[in-house]
Amino acid sequence: MRTQVAIVGGGPAGLLLSHLLHLQGIDSVVLERRSQEYVQQRVRAGVLEQGTVDLLREVGVGERMLREGDRHEGVHLQFDEERLHIPFTELTGRAITVYGQQEVVKDLNERRRADGGQVLFEVDDVAVHDVTTDSPSVTFTHDGRAQVLHADFVAGCDGFHGVCRDVIPPDVRRVYERVYPFGWLGILAEVAPSTDELIYANNERGFALHSMRSSTISRFYLQCAPDEQLDDWSDERIWDELRTRLASPGWKLQEGPIIDRSVTAMRSFVAEPLRHGRLFLAGDSAHIVPPTGAKGLNLAVADVDRLAEALVDHYRTGSDTGLDEYSARCLERVWRVQHFSWWMTSLTHRFEGPDQAFDRRLQRSQFDYLRSSHASATTLAENYVGMPLR
């Protein structure tokens, strides 16, 4: 097989990159190890920055998002039972949209099929070769047949556990990581949201988040141990903990059947550089952020938007400036997002240890500063709605 850009990974990053290249007449083939059903059903992030929403709309894959997504012009922060509203649109002129990652993947898959794109699911034994030459390739097995895909470039969009990052030699690759001493117990419940916008709550018992997926499905998270056992969390215990951590005068939590639950570990991770020869990393293959800032999907979109622009310049004008600057320019945004996600995590979570009382007083001070300072609230709002993509 022969293509211009081989894309390893058929999640939102890989599919969006393929679509962006198609719009500019550049061929690609997407290789995904999971089934299409799995990719479209796995529950992931659901908050889209203004820039992500604008891009999806501009490239023709945002119609259902604009129709079914829930636009939020602010967010609620809570310390114990005191709730504070941060008005994004008033402070920045921008907003966020709640629309599940799996829905973005469905929209992209449908568009790639309609455009005749080559997306191969359930691909095994993927290996990337010769990326420091002018003729990289990807070997894989599909439908029981071993195949070779020759390309001009390889895009590694295959996530944290993918194969592409390890193609960069250890003496070239630098890794920065922080593992947090807690995880998130996440649940989906068949109940209408009890809030108009997300609630981030810092309670002495730990963090809680009230989010939503639709007018009938609510999403909740509870801070827990990173190795928490789901069997220890009955429905009654979950709702009792949510009522306690989200309690606020005059407000009531609506409850309903829990239809999904899982535990997510919390970590920050960056691998540098994002380029090695003709291999380019994008999305979770290069960086992971704790979900507190709702940045993972948006950061992947920013990566592939920049990569697509650089590849278009290469094929149209022969200029490799965008490709040469890809890693450094992406990393500027990656570290800004890492800082914001760390800051939000530090503001909202309970940290055990001898300094626990001191840490909590610092959190209280920061909450009070957000309430009293227009500049502080604006900084939070600017980071949450996201920097412009270009």
Side-chain angles (χ1 to χ4, degrees), residues 318-350:
S319 172
D320 284 344
T321 300
L323 295 175
D324 293 339
E325 295 179 349
Y326 169 76
S327 181
R329 294 181 69 186
C330 283
L331 285 169
E332 290 179 7
R333 189 184 194 99
V334 166
W335 282 109
R336 170 89 299 276
V337 168
Q338 287 286 3
H339 178 267
F340 176 68
S341 298
W342 162 83
W343 181 84
M344 282 286 289
T345 303
S346 300
L347 173 66
T348 55
H349 287 69
R350 174 188 174 97

PDB file of all heavy atoms in Angstrom, residues 318-350:
ATOM      1  N   GLY A 318       6.517  23.410  -0.742  1.00  0.00           N
ATOM      2  CA  GLY A 318       7.843  22.840  -0.551  1.00  0.00           C
ATOM      3  C   GLY A 318       8.528  23.332   0.707  1.00  0.00           C
ATOM      4  O   GLY A 318       9.667  22.952   0.989  1.00  0.00           O
ATOM      5  N   SER A 319       7.848  24.170   1.486  1.00  0.00           N
ATOM      6  CA  SER A 319       8.439  24.690   2.717  1.00  0.00           C
ATOM      7  C   SER A 319       8.276  23.692   3.854  1.00  0.00           C
ATOM      8  O   SER A 319       7.180  23.186   4.104  1.00  0.00           O
ATOM      9  CB  SER A 319       7.770  26.011   3.098  1.00  0.00           C
ATOM     10  OG  SER A 319       8.201  26.429   4.386  1.00  0.00           O
ATOM     11  N   ASP A 320       9.366  23.425   4.556  1.00  0.00           N
ATOM     12  CA  ASP A 320       9.332  22.536   5.721  1.00  0.00           C
ATOM     13  C   ASP A 320       9.452  23.293   7.034  1.00  0.00           C
ATOM     14  O   ASP A 320       9.691  22.703   8.086  1.00  0.00           O
ATOM     15  CB  ASP A 320      10.461  21.504   5.623  1.00  0.00           C
ATOM     16  CG  ASP A 320      10.152  20.413   4.612  1.00  0.00           C
ATOM     17  OD1 ASP A 320       8.981  20.279   4.222  1.00  0.00           O
ATOM     18  OD2 ASP A 320      11.088  19.704   4.202  1.00  0.00           O
ATOM     19  N   THR A 321       9.267  24.598   6.979  1.00  0.00           N
ATOM     20  CA  THR A 321       9.371  25.405   8.202  1.00  0.00           C
ATOM     21  C   THR A 321       8.362  24.941   9.258  1.00  0.00           C
ATOM     22  O   THR A 321       8.696  24.796  10.438  1.00  0.00           O
ATOM     23  CB  THR A 321       9.147  26.892   7.891  1.00  0.00           C
ATOM     24  OG1 THR A 321      10.133  27.329   6.961  1.00  0.00           O
ATOM     25  CG2 THR A 321       9.238  27.720   9.167  1.00  0.00           C
ATOM     26  N   GLY A 322       7.109  24.715   8.841  1.00  0.00           N
ATOM     27  CA  GLY A 322       6.087  24.264   9.776  1.00  0.00           C
ATOM     28  C   GLY A 322       6.414  22.920  10.390  1.00  0.00           C
ATOM     29  O   GLY A 322       6.184  22.695  11.584  1.00  0.00           O
ATOM     30  N   LEU A 323       6.955  22.009   9.581  1.00  0.00           N
ATOM     31  CA  LEU A 323       7.336  20.695  10.102  1.00  0.00           C
ATOM     32  C   LEU A 323       8.509  20.814  11.066  1.00  0.00           C
ATOM     33  O   LEU A 323       8.542  20.158  12.111  1.00  0.00           O
ATOM     34  CB  LEU A 323       7.697  19.762   8.943  1.00  0.00           C
ATOM     35  CG  LEU A 323       6.558  19.409   7.983  1.00  0.00           C
ATOM     36  CD1 LEU A 323       7.077  18.569   6.817  1.00  0.00           C
ATOM     37  CD2 LEU A 323       5.436  18.669   8.707  1.00  0.00           C
ATOM     38  N   ASP A 324       9.470  21.673  10.712  1.00  0.00           N
ATOM     39  CA  ASP A 324      10.638  21.839  11.574  1.00  0.00           C
ATOM     40  C   ASP A 324      10.264  22.471  12.920  1.00  0.00           C
ATOM     41  O   ASP A 324      10.890  22.182  13.944  1.00  0.00           O
ATOM     42  CB  ASP A 324      11.680  22.713  10.871  1.00  0.00           C
ATOM     43  CG  ASP A 324      12.282  22.043   9.644  1.00  0.00           C
ATOM     44  OD1 ASP A 324      12.209  20.808   9.565  1.00  0.00           O
ATOM     45  OD2 ASP A 324      12.797  22.763   8.775  1.00  0.00           O
ATOM     46  N   GLU A 325       9.245  23.332  12.918  1.00  0.00           N
ATOM     47  CA  GLU A 325       8.848  24.030  14.147  1.00  0.00           C
ATOM     48  C   GLU A 325       7.719  23.329  14.886  1.00  0.00           C
ATOM     49  O   GLU A 325       7.311  23.793  15.965  1.00  0.00           O
ATOM     50  CB  GLU A 325       8.403  25.461  13.796  1.00  0.00           C
ATOM     51  CG  GLU A 325       9.518  26.330  13.234  1.00  0.00           C
ATOM     52  CD  GLU A 325       9.034  27.731  12.874  1.00  0.00           C
ATOM     53  OE1 GLU A 325       7.787  27.928  12.881  1.00  0.00           O
ATOM     54  OE2 GLU A 325       9.871  28.595  12.583  1.00  0.00           O
ATOM     55  N   TYR A 326       7.206  22.224  14.320  1.00  0.00           N
ATOM     56  CA  TYR A 326       6.024  21.571  14.878  1.00  0.00           C
ATOM     57  C   TYR A 326       6.195  21.229  16.354  1.00  0.00           C
ATOM     58  O   TYR A 326       5.354  21.577  17.200  1.00  0.00           O
ATOM     59  CB  TYR A 326       5.700  20.302  14.086  1.00  0.00           C
ATOM     60  CG  TYR A 326       4.652  19.430  14.740  1.00  0.00           C
ATOM     61  CD1 TYR A 326       3.308  19.778  14.697  1.00  0.00           C
ATOM     62  CD2 TYR A 326       5.000  18.263  15.414  1.00  0.00           C
ATOM     63  CE1 TYR A 326       2.340  18.986  15.296  1.00  0.00           C
ATOM     64  CE2 TYR A 326       4.043  17.470  16.015  1.00  0.00           C
ATOM     65  CZ  TYR A 326       2.718  17.824  15.958  1.00  0.00           C
ATOM     66  OH  TYR A 326       1.767  17.043  16.560  1.00  0.00           O
ATOM     67  N   SER A 327       7.256  20.553  16.708  1.00  0.00           N
ATOM     68  CA  SER A 327       7.429  20.101  18.091  1.00  0.00           C
ATOM     69  C   SER A 327       7.509  21.273  19.055  1.00  0.00           C
ATOM     70  O   SER A 327       6.796  21.312  20.069  1.00  0.00           O
ATOM     71  CB  SER A 327       8.677  19.224  18.203  1.00  0.00           C
ATOM     72  OG  SER A 327       8.841  18.764  19.535  1.00  0.00           O
ATOM     73  N   ALA A 328       8.364  22.238  18.756  1.00  0.00           N
ATOM     74  CA  ALA A 328       8.563  23.364  19.679  1.00  0.00           C
ATOM     75  C   ALA A 328       7.282  24.173  19.854  1.00  0.00           C
ATOM     76  O   ALA A 328       6.934  24.575  20.979  1.00  0.00           O
ATOM     77  CB  ALA A 328       9.683  24.263  19.162  1.00  0.00           C
ATOM     78  N   ARG A 329       6.549  24.396  18.770  1.00  0.00           N
ATOM     79  CA  ARG A 329       5.335  25.213  18.874  1.00  0.00           C
ATOM     80  C   ARG A 329       4.224  24.471  19.612  1.00  0.00           C
ATOM     81  O   ARG A 329       3.470  25.080  20.382  1.00  0.00           O
ATOM     82  CB  ARG A 329       4.885  25.639  17.477  1.00  0.00           C
ATOM     83  CG  ARG A 329       5.878  26.574  16.792  1.00  0.00           C
ATOM     84  CD  ARG A 329       5.403  27.014  15.422  1.00  0.00           C
ATOM     85  NE  ARG A 329       4.253  27.894  15.527  1.00  0.00           N
ATOM     86  CZ  ARG A 329       3.570  28.336  14.468  1.00  0.00           C
ATOM     87  NH1 ARG A 329       3.927  27.974  13.248  1.00  0.00           N
ATOM     88  NH2 ARG A 329       2.540  29.138  14.626  1.00  0.00           N
ATOM     89  N   CYS A 330       4.121  23.172  19.374  1.00  0.00           N
ATOM     90  CA  CYS A 330       3.122  22.391  20.114  1.00  0.00           C
ATOM     91  C   CYS A 330       3.447  22.357  21.596  1.00  0.00           C
ATOM     92  O   CYS A 330       2.555  22.466  22.441  1.00  0.00           O
ATOM     93  CB  CYS A 330       3.052  20.965  19.568  1.00  0.00           C
ATOM     94  SG  CYS A 330       2.157  20.796  18.006  1.00  0.00           S
ATOM     95  N   LEU A 331       4.729  22.205  21.921  1.00  0.00           N
ATOM     96  CA  LEU A 331       5.117  22.086  23.319  1.00  0.00           C
ATOM     97  C   LEU A 331       4.857  23.367  24.103  1.00  0.00           C
ATOM     98  O   LEU A 331       4.618  23.314  25.319  1.00  0.00           O
ATOM     99  CB  LEU A 331       6.588  21.680  23.431  1.00  0.00           C
ATOM    100  CG  LEU A 331       6.872  20.213  23.099  1.00  0.00           C
ATOM    101  CD1 LEU A 331       8.368  19.967  22.973  1.00  0.00           C
ATOM    102  CD2 LEU A 331       6.259  19.285  24.145  1.00  0.00           C
ATOM    103  N   GLU A 332       4.885  24.520  23.454  1.00  0.00           N
ATOM    104  CA  GLU A 332       4.514  25.747  24.149  1.00  0.00           C
ATOM    105  C   GLU A 332       3.102  25.629  24.709  1.00  0.00           C
ATOM    106  O   GLU A 332       2.837  25.994  25.864  1.00  0.00           O
ATOM    107  CB  GLU A 332       4.598  26.942  23.189  1.00  0.00           C
ATOM    108  CG  GLU A 332       6.008  27.331  22.792  1.00  0.00           C
ATOM    109  CD  GLU A 332       6.004  28.498  21.822  1.00  0.00           C
ATOM    110  OE1 GLU A 332       4.919  29.070  21.571  1.00  0.00           O
ATOM    111  OE2 GLU A 332       7.082  28.848  21.301  1.00  0.00           O
ATOM    112  N   ARG A 333       2.193  25.143  23.892  1.00  0.00           N
ATOM    113  CA  ARG A 333       0.803  24.989  24.325  1.00  0.00           C
ATOM    114  C   ARG A 333       0.672  23.846  25.334  1.00  0.00           C
ATOM    115  O   ARG A 333      -0.072  23.960  26.319  1.00  0.00           O
ATOM    116  CB  ARG A 333      -0.080  24.724  23.107  1.00  0.00           C
ATOM    117  CG  ARG A 333      -1.579  24.772  23.408  1.00  0.00           C
ATOM    118  CD  ARG A 333      -2.387  24.393  22.178  1.00  0.00           C
ATOM    119  NE  ARG A 333      -3.787  24.752  22.345  1.00  0.00           N
ATOM    120  CZ  ARG A 333      -4.355  25.845  21.859  1.00  0.00           C
ATOM    121  NH1 ARG A 333      -3.623  26.701  21.142  1.00  0.00           N
ATOM    122  NH2 ARG A 333      -5.634  26.104  22.071  1.00  0.00           N
ATOM    123  N   VAL A 334       1.383  22.755  25.100  1.00  0.00           N
ATOM    124  CA  VAL A 334       1.316  21.599  25.989  1.00  0.00           C
ATOM    125  C   VAL A 334       1.664  21.996  27.421  1.00  0.00           C
ATOM    126  O   VAL A 334       0.950  21.659  28.372  1.00  0.00           O
ATOM    127  CB  VAL A 334       2.247  20.478  25.497  1.00  0.00           C
ATOM    128  CG1 VAL A 334       2.442  19.420  26.581  1.00  0.00           C
ATOM    129  CG2 VAL A 334       1.697  19.845  24.224  1.00  0.00           C
ATOM    130  N   TRP A 335       2.743  22.755  27.592  1.00  0.00           N
ATOM    131  CA  TRP A 335       3.173  23.103  28.955  1.00  0.00           C
ATOM    132  C   TRP A 335       2.267  24.148  29.594  1.00  0.00           C
ATOM    133  O   TRP A 335       2.073  24.150  30.812  1.00  0.00           O
ATOM    134  CB  TRP A 335       4.635  23.545  28.954  1.00  0.00           C
ATOM    135  CG  TRP A 335       5.539  22.362  28.871  1.00  0.00           C
ATOM    136  CD1 TRP A 335       6.310  21.966  27.820  1.00  0.00           C
ATOM    137  CD2 TRP A 335       5.739  21.370  29.890  1.00  0.00           C
ATOM    138  NE1 TRP A 335       6.983  20.798  28.107  1.00  0.00           N
ATOM    139  CE2 TRP A 335       6.650  20.417  29.376  1.00  0.00           C
ATOM    140  CE3 TRP A 335       5.241  21.196  31.177  1.00  0.00           C
ATOM    141  CZ2 TRP A 335       7.068  19.303  30.115  1.00  0.00           C
ATOM    142  CZ3 TRP A 335       5.652  20.090  31.915  1.00  0.00           C
ATOM    143  CH2 TRP A 335       6.554  19.169  31.387  1.00  0.00           C
ATOM    144  N   ARG A 336       1.687  25.043  28.787  1.00  0.00           N
ATOM    145  CA  ARG A 336       0.688  25.973  29.344  1.00  0.00           C
ATOM    146  C   ARG A 336      -0.508  25.190  29.876  1.00  0.00           C
ATOM    147  O   ARG A 336      -1.024  25.460  30.962  1.00  0.00           O
ATOM    148  CB  ARG A 336       0.244  26.961  28.256  1.00  0.00           C
ATOM    149  CG  ARG A 336      -0.948  27.818  28.649  1.00  0.00           C
ATOM    150  CD  ARG A 336      -0.544  29.110  29.348  1.00  0.00           C
ATOM    151  NE  ARG A 336       0.180  28.979  30.603  1.00  0.00           N
ATOM    152  CZ  ARG A 336      -0.406  28.802  31.789  1.00  0.00           C
ATOM    153  NH1 ARG A 336      -1.719  28.725  31.898  1.00  0.00           N
ATOM    154  NH2 ARG A 336       0.324  28.730  32.874  1.00  0.00           N
ATOM    155  N   VAL A 337      -0.947  24.197  29.099  1.00  0.00           N
ATOM    156  CA  VAL A 337      -2.085  23.369  29.507  1.00  0.00           C
ATOM    157  C   VAL A 337      -1.719  22.496  30.700  1.00  0.00           C
ATOM    158  O   VAL A 337      -2.529  22.291  31.611  1.00  0.00           O
ATOM    159  CB  VAL A 337      -2.575  22.529  28.316  1.00  0.00           C
ATOM    160  CG1 VAL A 337      -3.542  21.448  28.772  1.00  0.00           C
ATOM    161  CG2 VAL A 337      -3.241  23.430  27.273  1.00  0.00           C
ATOM    162  N   GLN A 338      -0.499  21.968  30.720  1.00  0.00           N
ATOM    163  CA  GLN A 338      -0.065  21.183  31.872  1.00  0.00           C
ATOM    164  C   GLN A 338      -0.121  22.021  33.146  1.00  0.00           C
ATOM    165  O   GLN A 338      -0.570  21.540  34.193  1.00  0.00           O
ATOM    166  CB  GLN A 338       1.359  20.651  31.655  1.00  0.00           C
ATOM    167  CG  GLN A 338       1.488  19.528  30.650  1.00  0.00           C
ATOM    168  CD  GLN A 338       0.982  18.197  31.182  1.00  0.00           C
ATOM    169  OE1 GLN A 338       0.464  18.094  32.294  1.00  0.00           O
ATOM    170  NE2 GLN A 338       1.118  17.158  30.376  1.00  0.00           N
ATOM    171  N   HIS A 339       0.322  23.257  33.051  1.00  0.00           N
ATOM    172  CA  HIS A 339       0.311  24.111  34.236  1.00  0.00           C
ATOM    173  C   HIS A 339      -1.109  24.370  34.705  1.00  0.00           C
ATOM    174  O   HIS A 339      -1.408  24.290  35.904  1.00  0.00           O
ATOM    175  CB  HIS A 339       1.014  25.442  33.948  1.00  0.00           C
ATOM    176  CG  HIS A 339       0.989  26.378  35.113  1.00  0.00           C
ATOM    177  ND1 HIS A 339      -0.004  27.332  35.290  1.00  0.00           N
ATOM    178  CD2 HIS A 339       1.817  26.498  36.188  1.00  0.00           C
ATOM    179  CE1 HIS A 339       0.222  27.989  36.402  1.00  0.00           C
ATOM    180  NE2 HIS A 339       1.312  27.520  36.972  1.00  0.00           N
ATOM    181  N   PHE A 340      -2.007  24.683  33.776  1.00  0.00           N
ATOM    182  CA  PHE A 340      -3.379  24.966  34.168  1.00  0.00           C
ATOM    183  C   PHE A 340      -4.037  23.737  34.779  1.00  0.00           C
ATOM    184  O   PHE A 340      -4.739  23.840  35.794  1.00  0.00           O
ATOM    185  CB  PHE A 340      -4.185  25.442  32.959  1.00  0.00           C
ATOM    186  CG  PHE A 340      -5.647  25.665  33.274  1.00  0.00           C
ATOM    187  CD1 PHE A 340      -6.040  26.691  34.111  1.00  0.00           C
ATOM    188  CD2 PHE A 340      -6.622  24.827  32.739  1.00  0.00           C
ATOM    189  CE1 PHE A 340      -7.379  26.896  34.417  1.00  0.00           C
ATOM    190  CE2 PHE A 340      -7.960  25.026  33.035  1.00  0.00           C
ATOM    191  CZ  PHE A 340      -8.348  26.060  33.879  1.00  0.00           C
ATOM    192  N   SER A 341      -3.820  22.563  34.193  1.00  0.00           N
ATOM    193  CA  SER A 341      -4.425  21.338  34.715  1.00  0.00           C
ATOM    194  C   SER A 341      -3.877  21.010  36.099  1.00  0.00           C
ATOM    195  O   SER A 341      -4.624  20.564  36.986  1.00  0.00           O
ATOM    196  CB  SER A 341      -4.170  20.179  33.752  1.00  0.00           C
ATOM    197  OG  SER A 341      -4.768  20.423  32.501  1.00  0.00           O
ATOM    198  N   TRP A 342      -2.574  21.220  36.296  1.00  0.00           N
ATOM    199  CA  TRP A 342      -1.983  21.024  37.625  1.00  0.00           C
ATOM    200  C   TRP A 342      -2.581  22.008  38.628  1.00  0.00           C
ATOM    201  O   TRP A 342      -2.904  21.650  39.758  1.00  0.00           O
ATOM    202  CB  TRP A 342      -0.464  21.210  37.541  1.00  0.00           C
ATOM    203  CG  TRP A 342       0.186  21.452  38.876  1.00  0.00           C
ATOM    204  CD1 TRP A 342       0.559  20.519  39.798  1.00  0.00           C
ATOM    205  CD2 TRP A 342       0.512  22.727  39.441  1.00  0.00           C
ATOM    206  NE1 TRP A 342       1.108  21.132  40.912  1.00  0.00           N
ATOM    207  CE2 TRP A 342       1.084  22.490  40.715  1.00  0.00           C
ATOM    208  CE3 TRP A 342       0.387  24.042  38.999  1.00  0.00           C
ATOM    209  CZ2 TRP A 342       1.521  23.523  41.531  1.00  0.00           C
ATOM    210  CZ3 TRP A 342       0.822  25.072  39.819  1.00  0.00           C
ATOM    211  CH2 TRP A 342       1.384  24.804  41.076  1.00  0.00           C
ATOM    212  N   TRP A 343      -2.737  23.269  38.206  1.00  0.00           N
ATOM    213  CA  TRP A 343      -3.274  24.298  39.090  1.00  0.00           C
ATOM    214  C   TRP A 343      -4.709  23.978  39.498  1.00  0.00           C
ATOM    215  O   TRP A 343      -5.068  24.076  40.680  1.00  0.00           O
ATOM    216  CB  TRP A 343      -3.202  25.658  38.392  1.00  0.00           C
ATOM    217  CG  TRP A 343      -3.698  26.790  39.214  1.00  0.00           C
ATOM    218  CD1 TRP A 343      -3.000  27.502  40.152  1.00  0.00           C
ATOM    219  CD2 TRP A 343      -5.015  27.359  39.183  1.00  0.00           C
ATOM    220  NE1 TRP A 343      -3.802  28.482  40.708  1.00  0.00           N
ATOM    221  CE2 TRP A 343      -5.048  28.419  40.132  1.00  0.00           C
ATOM    222  CE3 TRP A 343      -6.164  27.080  38.443  1.00  0.00           C
ATOM    223  CZ2 TRP A 343      -6.183  29.187  40.351  1.00  0.00           C
ATOM    224  CZ3 TRP A 343      -7.308  27.845  38.665  1.00  0.00           C
ATOM    225  CH2 TRP A 343      -7.307  28.882  39.604  1.00  0.00           C
ATOM    226  N   MET A 344      -5.538  23.584  38.534  1.00  0.00           N
ATOM    227  CA  MET A 344      -6.921  23.228  38.845  1.00  0.00           C
ATOM    228  C   MET A 344      -6.976  22.022  39.777  1.00  0.00           C
ATOM    229  O   MET A 344      -7.804  21.958  40.693  1.00  0.00           O
ATOM    230  CB  MET A 344      -7.690  22.928  37.563  1.00  0.00           C
ATOM    231  CG  MET A 344      -8.123  24.157  36.788  1.00  0.00           C
ATOM    232  SD  MET A 344      -9.510  25.027  37.562  1.00  0.00           S
ATOM    233  CE  MET A 344     -10.865  23.873  37.273  1.00  0.00           C
ATOM    234  N   THR A 345      -6.092  21.057  39.544  1.00  0.00           N
ATOM    235  CA  THR A 345      -6.047  19.875  40.405  1.00  0.00           C
ATOM    236  C   THR A 345      -5.630  20.260  41.821  1.00  0.00           C
ATOM    237  O   THR A 345      -6.219  19.809  42.813  1.00  0.00           O
ATOM    238  CB  THR A 345      -5.070  18.839  39.834  1.00  0.00           C
ATOM    239  OG1 THR A 345      -5.464  18.494  38.496  1.00  0.00           O
ATOM    240  CG2 THR A 345      -5.041  17.577  40.680  1.00  0.00           C
ATOM    241  N   SER A 346      -4.634  21.125  41.927  1.00  0.00           N
ATOM    242  CA  SER A 346      -4.156  21.554  43.240  1.00  0.00           C
ATOM    243  C   SER A 346      -5.202  22.368  43.992  1.00  0.00           C
ATOM    244  O   SER A 346      -5.269  22.328  45.220  1.00  0.00           O
ATOM    245  CB  SER A 346      -2.875  22.387  43.075  1.00  0.00           C
ATOM    246  OG  SER A 346      -1.860  21.637  42.443  1.00  0.00           O
ATOM    247  N   LEU A 347      -6.016  23.112  43.249  1.00  0.00           N
ATOM    248  CA  LEU A 347      -7.036  23.954  43.871  1.00  0.00           C
ATOM    249  C   LEU A 347      -8.204  23.139  44.407  1.00  0.00           C
ATOM    250  O   LEU A 347      -8.811  23.507  45.422  1.00  0.00           O
ATOM    251  CB  LEU A 347      -7.547  24.969  42.841  1.00  0.00           C
ATOM    252  CG  LEU A 347      -8.748  25.838  43.241  1.00  0.00           C
ATOM    253  CD1 LEU A 347      -8.362  26.781  44.381  1.00  0.00           C
ATOM    254  CD2 LEU A 347      -9.274  26.627  42.046  1.00  0.00           C
ATOM    255  N   THR A 348      -8.533  22.028  43.787  1.00  0.00           N
ATOM    256  CA  THR A 348      -9.812  21.364  44.042  1.00  0.00           C
ATOM    257  C   THR A 348      -9.720  20.028  44.772  1.00  0.00           C
ATOM    258  O   THR A 348     -10.748  19.496  45.182  1.00  0.00           O
ATOM    259  CB  THR A 348     -10.550  21.134  42.711  1.00  0.00           C
ATOM    260  OG1 THR A 348      -9.700  20.398  41.813  1.00  0.00           O
ATOM    261  CG2 THR A 348     -10.929  22.455  42.049  1.00  0.00           C
ATOM    262  N   HIS A 349      -8.526  19.457  44.938  1.00  0.00           N
ATOM    263  CA  HIS A 349      -8.412  18.116  45.506  1.00  0.00           C
ATOM    264  C   HIS A 349      -7.864  18.127  46.930  1.00  0.00           C
ATOM    265  O   HIS A 349      -7.162  19.054  47.340  1.00  0.00           O
ATOM    266  CB  HIS A 349      -7.522  17.244  44.621  1.00  0.00           C
ATOM    267  CG  HIS A 349      -8.177  16.821  43.340  1.00  0.00           C
ATOM    268  ND1 HIS A 349      -8.454  17.697  42.327  1.00  0.00           N
ATOM    269  CD2 HIS A 349      -8.622  15.607  42.922  1.00  0.00           C
ATOM    270  CE1 HIS A 349      -9.040  17.058  41.325  1.00  0.00           C
ATOM    271  NE2 HIS A 349      -9.160  15.792  41.666  1.00  0.00           N
ATOM    272  N   ARG A 350      -8.184  17.073  47.636  1.00  0.00           N
ATOM    273  CA  ARG A 350      -7.677  16.874  48.999  1.00  0.00           C
ATOM    274  C   ARG A 350      -6.329  16.158  48.910  1.00  0.00           C
ATOM    275  O   ARG A 350      -6.204  15.108  48.261  1.00  0.00           O
ATOM    276  CB  ARG A 350      -8.664  16.021  49.793  1.00  0.00           C
ATOM    277  CG  ARG A 350      -8.183  15.618  51.195  1.00  0.00           C
ATOM    278  CD  ARG A 350      -9.147  14.614  51.805  1.00  0.00           C
ATOM    279  NE  ARG A 350      -8.656  14.086  53.074  1.00  0.00           N
ATOM    280  CZ  ARG A 350      -9.023  14.548  54.261  1.00  0.00           C
ATOM    281  NH1 ARG A 350      -9.885  15.535  54.343  1.00  0.00           N
ATOM    282  NH2 ARG A 350      -8.535  14.025  55.369  1.00  0.00           N
TER     283      ARG A 350
END
